Amino acid sequence: MSLPTTPVSLPESLPERDHTVVWHPFTQMQTAPLPIPIVRGDGSVLHAADGTTYLDMISSWWVNLHGHAHPAIARRLAEQAHTLEHVIFAGFTHQPAVELAERLLTILPDKQAKVFYSDNGSTAVEVALKMAFQYWYNRNQPRRKVIALTDAYHGDTFGAMAVGGRSAFSAPFAPFLFDVDYLPTPVAGQEEETLALARQLFTSDVAAFIVEPLVQGSGGMIMYEPALLDELFRLAREQGILLIADEVMTGFGRTGKLFASHYLTEKADLMCLSKGLTGGTMALGVTTCTQAIYDAFLSDDRMKTLFHGHSFTANPLACSVALASMDLLLADETQQAIQRISANHSRFAETIAGHPRVSSIRQRGTLLAFDLNVGEQTSYFNHIRDHAYQFLLDRGVLMRPLGNVLYLMPPYCTTDEQLAYVHEQIMALLNSL
Ligand SMILES: *Cc1c(COP(=O)(O)O)cnc(C)c1O
């Protein structure tokens, strides 16, 4: 006699459970492979559940500055969580928000005078646009036009999408986006064209000119020179146009200076920050503006108020973590690491310069990018992207090519040995193409 066997259903794995209930960002859920479960982070290394490790060469979507699970940041977060996790930010304030605003204003370009908190890069851009439009509205000189650069990326909410370069990503929403005029990005060879069109488009009915200074991230790590942006800013200013510097990606040392704006003589009126703001630990956005913009909202008339806010505005946990990250960022050790990584990138750039599969090598500080030259047009949907992503992932390197653009954006704690390993894998990829 044998006992009846009960059918045993194997417990589902975490990726399978994920697939049942989660919808991932920028992911075609029908064809995407199951996501990789990460159980721990340590410096530039991500540890997967099966013991595999990955070198995080894109700083986990451009947010991480000092490495994963940094003890100093974790400590500040825990302390703050035991003290005050959150409080309404209308009618109330708290130490971390005030101190962070004070300290941000000391490291930002001089003209920035006030700090407005929100939750992420897209909201930081939304707030900047609303400040710009309402600035003109409050002064009874309504201006409606916005100028942006082609291939710009400013986020995924509607206002941010509207000022981004129009692409396949925004196509379903095109009818709902407000009109924006675009200038070609002033890359080498295109400068005169951009300046000529700027002279036409910058008129006295333009409210704002928004740019990612010096490096257009999502557009494909497109880089251009400070002198050109200074010239564009001067032309815009002649017409009183408000200048918005979206430093969501370029801020906090990525370009070799604390902000890309520090390469410029002309300074923006509004700045957008997020991503590296908290060292990549918590979601937080900041929009800063000049005194003149702030003053345009001061009135006995309540209708001149900036009616904008989010439930988690100036979340104390996020602000504390941003302060901890700023301590680390300003430390000599980190500033030296930024210079070390920049120099390391320059050497690697020389090494690959002659490779037949490499073109358009470009660098600004800790950002290094080049095109994979496989005789196809640059496009996100280019299959070379999937091949390169998988090839490097299989070798323990997390990079996420933008179409055929391969780039490195390592956390500042990444060692030369780790970079050398990454370089070997990139060489192997290049030689396999
Ligand atoms: C990522 C990014 C944004 C959007 O930030 P989110 O936090 O993803 O909303 C805006 N501007 C630039 C330049 C960015 O790189």
Side-chain angles (χ1 to χ4, degrees):
M1 206 182 88
S2 65
L3 292 167
T5 53
T6 40
V8 190
S9 65
L10 284 172
E12 273 189 297
S13 70
L14 191 72
E16 285 161 343
R17 284 164 54 200
D18 174 293
H19 193 72
T20 308
V21 292
V22 179
W23 191 344
H24 285 263
F26 280 98
T27 302
Q28 174 42 259
M29 297 304 295
Q30 177 161 305
T31 50
L34 287 176
I36 300 166
I38 297 297
V39 291
R40 195 161 62 82
D42 166 22
S44 301
V45 183
L46 293 168
H47 298 261
D50 68 357
T52 309
T53 59
Y54 300 96
L55 279 166
D56 186 354
M57 290 298 99
I58 55 164
S59 295
S60 276
W61 250 350
W62 314 357
V63 300
N64 190 296
L65 300 186
H66 311 295
H68 292 278
H70 195 288
I73 292 182
R75 207 176 312 120
R76 280 287 264 283
L77 179 58
E79 280 167 15
Q80 188 61 46
H82 284 289
T83 314
L84 175 68
E85 84 305 341
H86 189 60
V87 62
I88 177 174
F89 205 60
F92 293 85
T93 191
H94 51 82
Q95 171 78 20
V98 176
E99 192 182 335
L100 179 59
E102 288 171 347
R103 293 187 63 191
L104 277 174
L105 293 177
T106 63
I107 61 171
L108 285 168
D110 290 344
K111 283 181 62 183
Q112 301 305 306
K114 298 287 174 184
V115 172
F116 191 99
Y117 289 106
S118 64
D119 299 340
N120 55 64
S122 302
T123 56
V125 169
E126 297 288 340
V127 170
L129 292 169
K130 286 174 80 168
M131 283 180 177
F133 288 132
Q134 196 179 340
Y135 167 87
W136 294 110
Y137 175 92
N138 282 358
R139 290 165 50 112
N140 287 320
Q141 301 168 308
R143 294 189 180 202
R144 293 189 158 184
K145 276 171 74 173
V146 177
I147 312 283
L149 298 181
T150 49
D151 299 316
Y153 178 79
H154 296 292
D156 287 343
T157 51
F158 271 86
M161 259 197 303
V163 295
R166 300 302 159 86
S167 70
F169 296 159
S170 59
F173 316 108
F176 313 109
L177 302 178
F178 59 76
D179 277 341
V180 170
D181 284 331
Y182 295 95
L183 291 173
T185 307
V187 292
Q190 213 164 249
E191 300 98 326
E192 285 314 313
E193 191 192 328
T194 304
L195 290 174
L197 191 58
R199 286 187 196 98
Q200 275 177 40
L201 291 181
F202 288 159
T203 53
S204 59
D205 57 351
V206 174
F209 173 44
I210 182 167
V211 289
E212 294 156 272
L214 309 191
V215 187
Q216 294 184 300
S218 299
M221 294 295 152
I222 300 163
M223 302 192 190
Y224 59 98
E225 290 302 312
L228 264 296
L229 188 54
D230 267 331
E231 188 56 30
L232 288 173
F233 275 6
R234 271 191 290 274
L235 289 171
R237 201 171 298 288
E238 282 173 17
Q239 303 298 328
I241 297 167
L242 296 177
L243 310 173
I244 306 175
D246 176 355
E247 292 231 30
V248 169
M249 187 280 280
T250 52
F252 304 99
R254 294 288 184 202
T255 65
K257 298 196 187 224
L258 279 180
F259 297 96
S261 295
H262 287 151
Y263 286 93
L264 303 172
T265 315
E266 301 295 321
K267 302 301 182 194
D269 301 291
L270 296 136
M271 293 182 69
C272 307
L273 307 172
S274 187
K275 292 199 169 124
L277 173 59
T278 63
T281 301
M282 302 271 305
L284 185 65
V286 151
T287 308
T288 63
C289 70
T290 58
Q291 190 67 40
I293 292 176
Y294 178 77
D295 286 347
F297 291 74
L298 300 180
S299 172
D300 295 329
D301 177 0
R302 288 185 58 127
M303 291 319 292
K304 295 202 167 171
T305 307
L306 179 66
F307 288 113
H308 187 102
H310 299 277
S311 313
F312 286 100
T313 297
N315 175 256
L317 300 174
C319 291
S320 295
V321 157
L323 285 164
S325 176
M326 198 187 299
D327 288 342
L328 293 170
L329 177 67
L330 299 178
D332 288 345
E333 196 188 339
T334 308
Q335 290 301 311
Q336 283 157 17
I338 288 172
Q339 300 315 318
R340 172 181 57 77
I341 290 172
S342 303
N344 190 314
H345 280 350
S346 304
R347 288 193 300 275
F348 183 56
E350 278 172 34
T351 315
I352 55 172
H355 199 286
R357 294 296 182 220
V358 172
S359 61
S360 306
I361 304 173
R362 47 209 186 263
Q363 185 193 351
R364 179 72 67 187
T366 71
L367 304 171
L368 176 68
F370 57 89
D371 293 0
L372 291 172
N373 196 358
V374 285
E376 286 171 284
Q377 270 224 309
T378 307
S379 129
Y380 187 90
F381 302 105
N382 203 320
H383 77 266
I384 185 66
R385 186 232 163 251
D386 295 342
H387 172 74
Y389 175 76
Q390 198 57 48
F391 185 99
L392 293 164
L393 203 62
D394 288 345
R395 286 157 184 79
V397 176
L398 171 55
M399 291 174 72
R400 241 181 103 90
L402 297 155
N404 69 335
V405 176
L406 205 61
Y407 68 92
L408 287 165
M409 193 188 295
Y412 306 145
C413 62
T414 308
T415 64
D416 282 341
E417 292 68 34
Q418 289 172 326
L419 286 173
Y421 176 79
V422 170
H423 295 162
E424 270 175 47
Q425 310 320 311
I426 293 175
M427 285 309 291
L429 168 69
L430 294 175
N431 293 332
S432 78
L433 295 174

